[in-house]
Amino acid sequence: MPRTILPNSRVSPRFSGICTFCRYPRLEDVSSENRPVDWAIYGVPFDSGVTYRPGARFAPRAIRDASQYVKAYHLAHGVNVCETLSLADAGDAPVKPYHLEENLKVVAQWATDLADPFTRLFAVGGDHTIAYANILAARNRLRATGVKQDKGVALIHFDAHLDTVDEVWGEKWGHASPFRRAIEDGIVDPNAMLSIGLRGPLNREDDLEFARAEGVTIVTADDCDGPEPNAASRAIDPFLDSLGTRPVYVTFDIDCIDPAFAPGTGTPCPGGLTTRDAFSLLRRLRGINLIGADVVEVLPERDPAGVTSFLAAHILFEIIALDAAARAAR
Amino acid sequence: MPRTILPNSRVSPRFSGICTFCRYPRLEDVSSENRPVDWAIYGVPFDSGVTYRPGARFAPRAIRDASQYVKAYHLAHGVNVCETLSLADAGDAPVKPYHLEENLKVVAQWATDLADPFTRLFAVGGDHTIAYANILAARNRLRATGVKQDKGVALIHFDAHLDTVDEVWGEKWGHASPFRRAIEDGIVDPNAMLSIGLRGPLNREDDLEFARAEGVTIVTADDCDGPEPNAASRAIDPFLDSLGTRPVYVTFDIDCIDPAFAPGTGTPCPGGLTTRDAFSLLRRLRGINLIGADVVEVLPERDPAGVTSFLAAHILFEIIALDAAARAAR
Amino acid sequence: MPRTILPNSRVSPRFSGICTFCRYPRLEDVSSENRPVDWAIYGVPFDSGVTYRPGARFAPRAIRDASQYVKAYHLAHGVNVCETLSLADAGDAPVKPYHLEENLKVVAQWATDLADPFTRLFAVGGDHTIAYANILAARNRLRATGVKQDKGVALIHFDAHLDTVDEVWGEKWGHASPFRRAIEDGIVDPNAMLSIGLRGPLNREDDLEFARAEGVTIVTADDCDGPEPNAASRAIDPFLDSLGTRPVYVTFDIDCIDPAFAPGTGTPCPGGLTTRDAFSLLRRLRGINLIGADVVEVLPERDPAGVTSFLAAHILFEIIALDAAARAAR
Amino acid sequence: MPRTILPNSRVSPRFSGICTFCRYPRLEDVSSENRPVDWAIYGVPFDSGVTYRPGARFAPRAIRDASQYVKAYHLAHGVNVCETLSLADAGDAPVKPYHLEENLKVVAQWATDLADPFTRLFAVGGDHTIAYANILAARNRLRATGVKQDKGVALIHFDAHLDTVDEVWGEKWGHASPFRRAIEDGIVDPNAMLSIGLRGPLNREDDLEFARAEGVTIVTADDCDGPEPNAASRAIDPFLDSLGTRPVYVTFDIDCIDPAFAPGTGTPCPGGLTTRDAFSLLRRLRGINLIGADVVEVLPERDPAGVTSFLAAHILFEIIALDAAARAAR
Amino acid sequence: MPRTILPNSRVSPRFSGICTFCRYPRLEDVSSENRPVDWAIYGVPFDSGVTYRPGARFAPRAIRDASQYVKAYHLAHGVNVCETLSLADAGDAPVKPYHLEENLKVVAQWATDLADPFTRLFAVGGDHTIAYANILAARNRLRATGVKQDKGVALIHFDAHLDTVDEVWGEKWGHASPFRRAIEDGIVDPNAMLSIGLRGPLNREDDLEFARAEGVTIVTADDCDGPEPNAASRAIDPFLDSLGTRPVYVTFDIDCIDPAFAPGTGTPCPGGLTTRDAFSLLRRLRGINLIGADVVEVLPERDPAGVTSFLAAHILFEIIALDAAARAAR
Amino acid sequence: MPRTILPNSRVSPRFSGICTFCRYPRLEDVSSENRPVDWAIYGVPFDSGVTYRPGARFAPRAIRDASQYVKAYHLAHGVNVCETLSLADAGDAPVKPYHLEENLKVVAQWATDLADPFTRLFAVGGDHTIAYANILAARNRLRATGVKQDKGVALIHFDAHLDTVDEVWGEKWGHASPFRRAIEDGIVDPNAMLSIGLRGPLNREDDLEFARAEGVTIVTADDCDGPEPNAASRAIDPFLDSLGTRPVYVTFDIDCIDPAFAPGTGTPCPGGLTTRDAFSLLRRLRGINLIGADVVEVLPERDPAGVTSFLAAHILFEIIALDAAARAAR
């Protein structure tokens, strides 16, 4: 008996029905034997933190739609995600579109209280500010289950940008700043933070300074060039080794991927990862103690063929499959 | 206390949340005091009956998405639809994409059994074949509530085409034929059928013959030209007078409207109604005894600015508002 | 037995087959009993004359594609075009994309020699320069059949612009100038020229001077406002009466129609005719002695829903139906 | 010698050059004999006030681009705008994307101080909040030139919505509220306010209450139906008569126009004005004492054929032409 | 003297003329010295077999259009395809859109009888069901020329999916099943079948079972990663060696390629081959005894920049060039 | 103090203001201490030389727009371009859209005389013909500064095509021919010309002859496959070594890049470079004596997500960064 009950596709084809993430049941519809769910996936339709093109508020809707085509069996890991995990769509978090900081509080509080504390949270943005809220909630929930969190969580961060700018237009809570705030507030441990996908051009050379000074491990898009072992694998492998079993959060900004594969994003950057690069890097994370994740910065209005939302839905699947593979291996 | 409970828009903006038609609750979530619902709205993601461009199978999804912006108060009728009526999204009907006639049976059976027999059914297509199934279900449900249905229901039909072709490519159940079948099977009374929006070019002159011979009242798009009284009003007014209180079904093929206003459809026809023409004609129906309805033939892939799905959602609202206005008037 | 043999739609649906205009046979495939054809329709994939957005060179291809859905029976005229007329697609004229004036010579010569002199020519542009070539060919062919052409042909001109500018960027043969040249060269009679659809803004007030001085009858888009009789009908009716049986050419620039209905054009102008305005005006021409025609300035790259090419194909049908209606009436 | 020097189109075609509004010179490039300019046109790339689709921050850029095709001579008024008026592009106002109320202060202050106080201001939004700032600046500038402004300016308001909601999501300064604030703050006189284009559906019946109670004259889109005199003309004509020479501001929300003509907007509403309706209504304003204006709520991402930005550029032209016509008449 | 006569591009540029595949002559227009043609290319505008997005019925039209830009000389093989081979466009096969199995019979029969039995057949889909019909016709034609076909043809299959599902929605003939049927019916030899491009996620683990049990050689997209020799080359090279001179059919589902390169398809799958991967793999096939081929599953409505149809036209060229290279080498 | 003054992004976000290339000042606005500028960037809105899809005349506008997001610090070179170089937007060159050869003369003359002779010129096309004009101007300007130019400049040419066709449609100056003319006229030295990105199919085998005979070094797209050292690096490295300090011009046709990354171009060719390939190749040029450059053949109408213009703006940045890196290294 599967842990996640999907619609009967003999009756309700993938182009049919009210759209939930990957056709997983709504949280309130999960049967008692499948509770508490292993993962609650929720949207955060919020984009007031952007510095260029807005519109990521429509991404949860677009990704729910695109995810109807996500299937259950992960070929590379050899695991059926829906047989292994109980998964649910928790709807969208409440948002405060006119107020950045207040929004983060509202989202974090709602997420902290969501379902059972042992349920992991996957947030679908929205702009990258919302990662702060979901990491904070994940940390709060770890504590609620008795896990100590003195140093902040470990963070694996896919992104074309570091998102550690201090402030923009007089504002500390925009989408260029979430990890600056998370490090300052002690909810992310910079020595256990790996950032993959950075590339130029940058506004200024000193945009890198904070992260470097704090000890963040940075793997640029260029580092991923060429067959392994390359600069990327030489940095990532020891980083992963060092993590051991400590709780890890994965945040995935879709702009780490090249605009050819993911045009629908607000601050694109040419020269990014391919989809296969990204899948390969994600699969390499197998074995981490994953305690929360997000995918952010999808901009449906710049996605005329729908490939970006479609890809984001599969990134979600790849990340959750890490947990399924880990549990199946036990 | 409203009859239809909408999300609190202070928490969940219109760009937020799992999409149901017009943000109405899912049928299973309606509270007991609002049961039975007055209208159950359901999708029929089926387009195997088309003769040109397929893709209307994605219309229920697109219209749910677009309908998030439909509001509750009808300005012209002066009625708040959600305070007057209990409305719900019943999800999508089961479909059989590979089998036309069997699909209609499956849909009609599912719809016949849906919720309470006093609940009216609004079907969101899908191609126009699905009107046959919803009319049949509406007729069956009338009977289940004790209303005699000897002659078939009255039908008000908005369409650029008559849809009374006998067969196409050896098939009797395609989207060119639903009203031929419905008249032959006695579920629609041709003498109480009004078809609005017809225009050329036609395949053959004799495409009109069946409808004329059966006594259908035809109002062409050209008849709607110019200030009233015009050819349209001279035909429609006595038709409506003749209906009295008999049960009326409204079927709305979005292609009755001009491609400028509704490009997203599979068999468009230039020279159609404007949106204001259509709204005006629909509002003129106030007072009919509406027992079921549909909106069909929306093709999201040909709707780059989303105006067609958006319009279809408002057509749905206009049709349901007829019932709200009628009940509010009592 | 029809005069124009269309593909058997039981075997070859409208989405099937190599695209010719309206599925009419290629000129070389017309059977002997249907020769000479009444109309040869040909494309002129040429846009080097434009002053703003190029791309109309792809219009013959796009209109062939869109015209697959044009049917044969004209509802308003009550005539089956394919039963009344022998129609054929003559392919595309040779073009000289790098040389404006030479191109017109090449096209005009090719068209002058095309098929039988009694066959009428319908040119599908391309930019408006190509009208000059087709009018010249039509005039030459009239002469070849013994019709005197002392004063030039009568011209009914649908357009947002007058196209009588003397020169642009040092060039006399661009798409702003074809009727200046045609009047100067005596192939169009300005006293028998009616221009419908003009609207502002203009570059300069004196853009109107040449046409006014030459005696062109001008009906602006604003003149078409309101129920008839209006300024438009008061100008058009006596103009048509004055034509008698003299040969008339109809040139249709798609930009006479509003961008809502026809976005795909290179020099659009808001505030234009609706499709129903245009159809009504064209049908009013019934009875003219039509000896040639064109539809021009469709720009497929600005036509994301395909409505402009689709409309242009129906404009072609409406114009040819004028001849069918006239012959059927005899 | 023209008042506004345009690029020499023999050298720099309309598809050429750095884009300013309608190719008017940048404010700093205007020669001394054409100073002070009659109108300074400026963009306000701000959309943080929206309640649904964001993206109007890109509208000034899109409208500058589209306006390259706006010509100078107004056919209906018979006036060359660039010969009559000195016009300039003043660039974009500074904005504060993260802070609604502060943004209005910054924009209003910048606009108040712009150029000469006798120069009129035309703001290109951005969302409708920015109208508040431009009206405030216009009022301040009137005062600076010695015109008393006790009661607030008269306002002619084109819009599908009244924009007089008290607050949304706890915020008083969003795009649903600018005229509520402007009336409360005394910068608009509700008894001299005319709102054209309202249509349903509305959130609640009482959305109309404030405007009605304050004495705003409301003309719905439905009032514009049919030949004149109609409900619209019966309301507008006496309103205009009552204005006399008092200063009038025109605010034009592109969503007053139907989505067929203007799909690119954030909160579209089917059943709106046609472009010809809008032009006709605007031309009817000839004779008012126009002291400022704006066009707002264009959303380029929903405008795949570019018709909305193109139309907005022509709306700008139509409004400024009112002043040109008035001055030419003197 | 070339074997395939192309239009004179000095007269008829690539944007000109009635569109046939790659501008090759229609089959009926091939001169006697170039008969029988080496390859007849035909479309199958059929998509009733899809399980998700329909619309591939328009692919033959879109690919004819895109293929106007395909040139004749293959740089890597060093062969001019049109000088080496006689090629023709045979138009579109008859189709039965409402009946899956009957459609395959009609197409297979028509193709079996097409032109000379020594002419090879290239089918342009349509959905993948049509491969069954073309393989069957190729097999029948081999037999007609005296080649024994006891075990079924060898098959090289590019696809993101195996297409060996037993049935979907109660139907055995859908696009998920053609190779299941072809193997069961003995027209394909599973031991001589190579499938390239498979990737997850899958519906179920046992989706692979049938193919594995039958002995199909499977090369996943991941197998193609990294420099050679890699998993892909280690599987493909011995497979090709084993084929010897036996007849081989190549079926190319465009979804084997990543959505960045080929967004226009109905069941896309992220993480696919690049175009250069695909070209390299195809060129590796040089030397096989190619007796038929197809390219399928192009969906023009999801191809906003046209790159997928354009690519499909070049895939067609690459496959036919294999035969040209083989013949030139003799 | 930076050499290039950018707008204060605290006041004027990247979505704000009149668009110049990369937000660099207009040439006439550069302060005296930053004069003469190191690079003048100008547009050439000209596309009359194309052989397939026109529309590149709109590329300067689209690239200005897209370049608003180009930042200043080059991560790989470790140089801030705006601190090192004085850069300016010189507007668009005058053009003669109706006359190919005359256009080149007008552009070359204008560019020859632009600003200071020590200022380098970057041309943004337009079609590839305009490279001829900018190379000629660069050569003239070198001479004006006393640099001998006996043999013509060295040329590094990124392109899917060689552009050395003798003539097309009777015209010697089209976009297939600029380097044929430049070599014949002695302004490019073929022995110092490197062409990267060529791929098939070609019209004829002998399309390569002229370039080969003249001694051009050709690196195909296929040569770039696989890890280095590969065929590409084996050809490029000695070529670069041989250049020494001689003046080098870089011409970048966006179609050298694969359509997945750069769909918006007029004559696309599948199987091209990735963006990372291109960046890597460009960065390899570090150290050349760069004296002029261009980026051409961007077609905005085929670029629905805007990725091509966005990429072209970053190509411009990469090329100019070569000069910044060289100067910073001194």
Short mmCIF file of all heavy atoms in Angstrom, two decimals, chain F residues 16-35:
data_model
loop_
_atom_site.label_atom_id
_atom_site.label_comp_id
_atom_site.label_asym_id
_atom_site.label_seq_id
_atom_site.Cartn_x
_atom_site.Cartn_y
_atom_site.Cartn_z
N SER F 16 14.51 51.03 -14.73
CA SER F 16 14.13 52.43 -14.76
C SER F 16 14.97 53.22 -15.75
O SER F 16 16.16 52.95 -15.93
CB SER F 16 14.33 52.99 -13.35
OG SER F 16 14.30 54.37 -13.33
N GLY F 17 14.37 54.21 -16.35
CA GLY F 17 15.13 55.18 -17.13
C GLY F 17 15.19 54.89 -18.62
O GLY F 17 14.88 53.81 -19.09
N ILE F 18 15.60 55.89 -19.36
CA ILE F 18 15.81 55.79 -20.79
C ILE F 18 16.95 54.81 -21.02
O ILE F 18 18.00 54.91 -20.37
CB ILE F 18 16.13 57.20 -21.35
CG1 ILE F 18 14.88 58.09 -21.21
CG2 ILE F 18 16.62 57.12 -22.78
CD1 ILE F 18 15.13 59.56 -21.53
N CYS F 19 16.74 53.86 -21.93
CA CYS F 19 17.71 52.76 -22.08
C CYS F 19 18.88 53.11 -22.98
O CYS F 19 18.70 53.35 -24.18
CB CYS F 19 17.02 51.54 -22.69
SG CYS F 19 15.85 50.74 -21.61
N THR F 20 20.06 53.08 -22.43
CA THR F 20 21.29 53.10 -23.24
C THR F 20 21.98 51.75 -23.05
O THR F 20 21.65 51.00 -22.12
CB THR F 20 22.24 54.22 -22.78
OG1 THR F 20 22.49 54.02 -21.38
CG2 THR F 20 21.63 55.60 -23.00
N PHE F 21 22.93 51.43 -23.90
CA PHE F 21 23.63 50.15 -23.77
C PHE F 21 24.23 50.04 -22.36
O PHE F 21 25.04 50.90 -21.95
CB PHE F 21 24.74 50.02 -24.82
CG PHE F 21 24.22 49.79 -26.20
CD1 PHE F 21 24.51 50.67 -27.24
CD2 PHE F 21 23.43 48.68 -26.50
CE1 PHE F 21 24.04 50.46 -28.52
CE2 PHE F 21 22.95 48.46 -27.78
CZ PHE F 21 23.25 49.35 -28.79
N CYS F 22 23.83 49.02 -21.65
CA CYS F 22 24.38 48.70 -20.32
C CYS F 22 24.30 49.86 -19.34
O CYS F 22 25.05 49.88 -18.37
CB CYS F 22 25.83 48.24 -20.44
SG CYS F 22 26.07 46.86 -21.57
N ARG F 23 23.42 50.82 -19.60
CA ARG F 23 23.26 52.01 -18.77
C ARG F 23 24.48 52.94 -18.83
O ARG F 23 24.61 53.84 -18.00
CB ARG F 23 22.95 51.63 -17.31
CG ARG F 23 21.97 50.47 -17.16
CD ARG F 23 21.48 50.32 -15.73
NE ARG F 23 20.26 51.08 -15.57
CZ ARG F 23 19.80 51.53 -14.42
NH1 ARG F 23 20.47 51.30 -13.30
NH2 ARG F 23 18.68 52.21 -14.35
N TYR F 24 25.33 52.73 -19.80
CA TYR F 24 26.46 53.64 -19.97
C TYR F 24 25.91 55.00 -20.42
O TYR F 24 24.85 55.08 -21.02
CB TYR F 24 27.45 53.11 -21.03
CG TYR F 24 28.00 51.73 -20.75
CD1 TYR F 24 28.37 50.88 -21.79
CD2 TYR F 24 28.16 51.25 -19.45
CE1 TYR F 24 28.88 49.61 -21.56
CE2 TYR F 24 28.66 49.98 -19.20
CZ TYR F 24 29.01 49.16 -20.25
OH TYR F 24 29.50 47.89 -20.02
N PRO F 25 26.65 56.09 -20.16
CA PRO F 25 26.14 57.41 -20.56
C PRO F 25 26.08 57.55 -22.08
O PRO F 25 26.81 56.89 -22.81
CB PRO F 25 27.15 58.38 -19.97
CG PRO F 25 28.39 57.58 -19.75
CD PRO F 25 27.94 56.18 -19.46
N ARG F 26 25.21 58.42 -22.53
CA ARG F 26 25.25 58.79 -23.94
C ARG F 26 26.58 59.49 -24.20
O ARG F 26 27.12 60.18 -23.32
CB ARG F 26 24.10 59.75 -24.28
CG ARG F 26 22.75 59.09 -24.12
CD ARG F 26 21.66 59.96 -24.76
NE ARG F 26 21.82 61.35 -24.38
CZ ARG F 26 21.18 62.36 -24.95
NH1 ARG F 26 20.33 62.13 -25.95
NH2 ARG F 26 21.37 63.58 -24.55
N LEU F 27 27.07 59.34 -25.38
CA LEU F 27 28.37 59.91 -25.71
C LEU F 27 28.42 61.40 -25.39
O LEU F 27 29.41 61.89 -24.83
CB LEU F 27 28.65 59.66 -27.20
CG LEU F 27 30.02 60.07 -27.71
CD1 LEU F 27 31.14 59.40 -26.94
CD2 LEU F 27 30.14 59.76 -29.20
N GLU F 28 27.35 62.12 -25.72
CA GLU F 28 27.38 63.55 -25.50
C GLU F 28 27.30 63.94 -24.02
O GLU F 28 27.54 65.08 -23.67
CB GLU F 28 26.27 64.25 -26.29
CG GLU F 28 24.87 63.79 -26.00
CD GLU F 28 24.40 62.71 -26.98
OE1 GLU F 28 25.16 61.74 -27.21
OE2 GLU F 28 23.29 62.83 -27.50
N ASP F 29 26.99 62.96 -23.18
CA ASP F 29 26.89 63.27 -21.74
C ASP F 29 28.15 62.92 -20.95
O ASP F 29 28.17 63.13 -19.72
CB ASP F 29 25.71 62.50 -21.12
CG ASP F 29 24.36 62.93 -21.69
OD1 ASP F 29 24.30 64.00 -22.32
OD2 ASP F 29 23.39 62.18 -21.52
N VAL F 30 29.13 62.37 -21.60
CA VAL F 30 30.33 61.97 -20.86
C VAL F 30 31.08 63.22 -20.40
O VAL F 30 31.27 64.16 -21.17
CB VAL F 30 31.25 61.09 -21.75
CG1 VAL F 30 32.56 60.78 -21.04
CG2 VAL F 30 30.52 59.81 -22.13
N SER F 31 31.48 63.20 -19.15
CA SER F 31 32.18 64.37 -18.60
C SER F 31 33.58 64.47 -19.20
O SER F 31 34.15 63.48 -19.68
CB SER F 31 32.26 64.25 -17.09
OG SER F 31 32.96 63.08 -16.76
N SER F 32 34.14 65.63 -19.15
CA SER F 32 35.42 65.88 -19.83
C SER F 32 36.54 65.00 -19.30
O SER F 32 37.38 64.53 -20.05
CB SER F 32 35.79 67.36 -19.72
OG SER F 32 35.87 67.70 -18.35
N GLU F 33 36.52 64.70 -17.99
CA GLU F 33 37.64 63.90 -17.45
C GLU F 33 37.58 62.46 -17.96
O GLU F 33 38.57 61.74 -17.87
CB GLU F 33 37.67 63.94 -15.91
CG GLU F 33 36.47 63.37 -15.24
CD GLU F 33 35.45 64.45 -14.91
OE1 GLU F 33 35.23 65.39 -15.73
OE2 GLU F 33 34.86 64.36 -13.83
N ASN F 34 36.44 62.05 -18.46
CA ASN F 34 36.33 60.69 -19.01
C ASN F 34 36.40 60.66 -20.53
O ASN F 34 36.08 59.65 -21.16
CB ASN F 34 35.08 60.00 -18.49
CG ASN F 34 35.24 59.59 -17.03
OD1 ASN F 34 36.37 59.33 -16.59
ND2 ASN F 34 34.15 59.56 -16.29
N ARG F 35 36.80 61.76 -21.12
CA ARG F 35 36.95 61.82 -22.57
C ARG F 35 38.42 61.80 -22.94
O ARG F 35 39.23 62.33 -22.18
CB ARG F 35 36.34 63.11 -23.13
CG ARG F 35 34.85 63.14 -23.05
CD ARG F 35 34.34 64.50 -23.50
NE ARG F 35 32.90 64.53 -23.44
CZ ARG F 35 32.11 64.53 -24.54
NH1 ARG F 35 32.64 64.50 -25.74
NH2 ARG F 35 30.81 64.56 -24.40
#
